[in-house]
Amino acid sequence: MLVDDEFDANESRTAMQAYCREVALIPNPHSHEGPTKRIEQLQSLVSTQSFERLRATVPALQSALDRALRTKRFDIVNLEFSFLGHCNLRQAPAGEKLPALVVDSHNIDFELARQYARSGSSLIRRLYAGVNWRKLRREELGTYRDADGVYLCSAADERRVLAEIPDANTAVIPNAADVDYYQPRPSDPPSDGRTLLFFGLLSYVPNIDGVLHFVENIWPYIAKANPNARLKIVGANPPPQLKALAGPRIEFTGFVPDLRPHLASAAVVIVPLRLGGGTRLKIVEGMAMGKAIVSTELGAEGIEAESGRDLLIEDEPKAFADAVGRLLNDPGLAARIGKSARELAVQRYSWNSAARKLEGFYRQILNAGSRGKRS
């Protein structure tokens, strides 16, 4: 896999070797942020390829894939993200059968880019996304067409793929949590009854937009009605526009090695997302911890949860704030919703459940036989 500058390669390798027989990490020379990234985005406007494809085109990665695939035969190449669909992944030692190609689609990425084109934070961002998403669509759909199977995080995303490629071989494998790791523990701090928690990678555009939307449009209602309420935002790499929101009642923790104490001590988990696709791990992990969650409809998309029983769903700022207020003012309601959420996570969104579904999809593909195409 490619490793961006923001990650420690040695730390990443050590962590991955706990569950991988071999790990090959390739430094990504295009993993710039700031002005350099903006220049590359501008350059991509005159290319036939998307910025994401250009950023992931690294000859050293293909060389590493060549060595791995030509040395040992694999049944399946599981491709995470469509951005690497240009790589030659259907290779095998001489005389051996080519592997099947299966794509894990975390999001429909061109649809996410199209959302940015409609509702980006600035005119420049909207114009850029308006050009880029069409390139991304061509590349992403090409990767899906070439694959023996594509699995999506939600039924909504599966419908989006099938609308474009009716004969695609698809399955829904929802995002899942380690429900044995994420669970209420006697050693965790109890809920403080006043903290709202948002967590996620804060360099990710949907998370940036969600936090800004919450602080600007929803938080004022909550802060006025609940003078003791406070907001904790957990996640790595917050941009300056988010850091500027910090204050006496709004805290940014940065990256934390263990989310569980922060989840346990929170009164409510908030998911005020307006952009995105797939399903949100923050909801699944919050549910597994038995927390009451307030989400937008899009934030909860793909999660088979019932509003009012497993979580609360509201889109309008005042209604979202009122839902948070209900949970702050009624700890019993928060506890009941959290208990139901935990039960749902264990039943439908555990790693074991997702792994069984994925293994079944793999076996179906292998039994059908690889089509033998090359990327």
Side-chain angles (χ1 to χ4, degrees):
M1 67 178 294
L2 293 173
V3 183
D4 290 351
D5 289 343
E6 64 186 281
F7 295 100
D8 183 308
N10 290 329
E11 183 180 351
S12 299
R13 181 180 290 104
T14 299
M16 294 177 69
Q17 284 173 336
Y19 53 87
C20 296
R21 290 194 181 96
E22 298 177 39
V23 178
L25 301 181
I26 312 300
N28 187 354
H30 307 304
S31 64
H32 314 293
E33 294 296 330
T36 304
K37 179 180 178 181
R38 299 292 172 255
I39 291 171
E40 290 183 346
Q41 287 176 317
L42 287 173
Q43 291 172 337
S44 76
L45 292 175
V46 297
S47 171
T48 59
Q49 296 180 306
S50 70
F51 169 72
E52 289 79 4
R53 175 61 56 86
L54 291 170
R55 193 168 186 262
T57 300
V58 178
L61 175 64
Q62 184 61 63
S63 296
L65 288 167
D66 293 344
R67 288 193 297 272
L69 294 168
R70 294 172 185 174
T71 300
K72 180 180 179 181
R73 183 190 172 270
F74 292 87
D75 296 305
I76 287 174
V77 172
N78 188 96
L79 176 61
E80 299 290 314
F81 304 107
S82 64
F83 304 138
L84 296 175
H86 61 287
C87 294
N88 183 4
L89 300 169
R90 293 185 188 273
Q91 300 187 69
E96 297 281 357
K97 185 178 180 181
L98 298 177
L101 175 61
V102 181
V103 180
D104 179 4
S105 179
H106 298 239
N107 302 292
I108 307 299
D109 291 298
F110 75 80
E111 178 58 33
L112 191 57
R114 183 158 52 184
Q115 291 177 29
Y116 299 162
R118 291 196 298 261
S119 54
S121 58
S122 69
L123 177 60
I124 291 175
R125 289 179 183 272
R126 292 194 295 273
L127 291 174
Y128 169 78
V131 174
N132 194 59
W133 80 261
R134 291 172 172 84
K135 302 175 188 178
L136 202 55
R137 177 180 181 273
R138 183 186 68 250
E139 294 163 354
E140 187 170 5
L141 293 180
T143 298
Y144 295 158
R145 288 190 181 98
D146 188 59
D148 296 285
V150 180
Y151 60 100
L152 300 305
C153 293
S154 72
D157 275 357
E158 183 181 46
R159 289 192 294 271
R160 293 180 181 114
V161 169
L162 292 175
E164 300 279 359
I165 311 172
D167 62 345
N169 181 23
T170 62
V172 176
I173 313 291
N175 272 326
D178 183 347
V179 297
D180 295 323
Y181 180 83
Y182 286 103
Q183 66 171 311
R185 301 175 300 173
S187 59
D188 283 329
S191 168
D192 64 8
R194 66 191 187 104
T195 296
L196 316 182
L197 179 69
F198 178 93
F199 65 96
L201 181 63
L202 295 178
S203 59
Y204 183 49
V205 172
N207 287 339
I208 295 172
D209 177 80
V211 170
L212 288 171
H213 168 58
F214 182 83
V215 173
E216 293 172 357
N217 302 318
I218 301 172
W219 174 246
Y221 292 116
I222 297 170
K224 181 178 179 180
N226 300 269
N228 292 324
R230 61 191 295 268
L231 173 61
K232 181 189 287 189
I233 301 166
V234 175
N237 304 318
Q241 67 201 103
L242 292 190
K243 291 180 181 179
L245 302 174
R249 297 172 66 182
I250 301 178
E251 173 191 4
F252 285 83
T253 69
F255 172 80
V256 298
D258 189 348
L259 271 170
R260 293 172 296 178
H262 298 273
L263 281 164
S265 63
V268 182
V269 172
I270 57 165
V271 186
L273 299 185
R274 302 186 297 180
L275 303 172
T279 55
R280 262 52 62 178
L281 275 170
K282 54 178 60 69
I283 285 191
V284 176
E285 290 171 352
M287 286 169 39
M289 284 292 292
K291 303 308 297 184
I293 300 169
V294 181
S295 175
T296 57
E297 186 171 356
L298 185 141
E301 183 180 85
I303 305 292
E304 296 181 16
E306 181 180 327
S307 183
R309 183 190 67 190
D310 308 308
L311 78 177
L312 300 180
I313 296 177
E314 297 290 352
D315 281 328
E316 294 303 316
K318 182 63 166 62
F320 195 109
D322 289 345
V324 171
R326 285 172 56 199
L327 295 171
L328 291 176
N329 296 326
D330 188 347
L333 173 63
R336 289 193 297 275
I337 288 178
K339 182 175 183 293
S340 181
R342 166 71 187 173
E343 292 171 353
L344 180 64
V346 171
Q347 291 170 4
R348 298 187 186 177
Y349 299 104
S350 70
W351 277 1
N352 285 340
S353 175
R356 285 194 299 271
K357 291 179 181 178
L358 181 56
E359 183 179 6
F361 189 48
Y362 283 162
R363 291 190 181 281
Q364 174 251 305
I365 290 167
L366 293 176
N367 288 338
S370 174
R371 294 194 296 257
K373 296 184 294 184
R374 297 182 66 85
S375 296

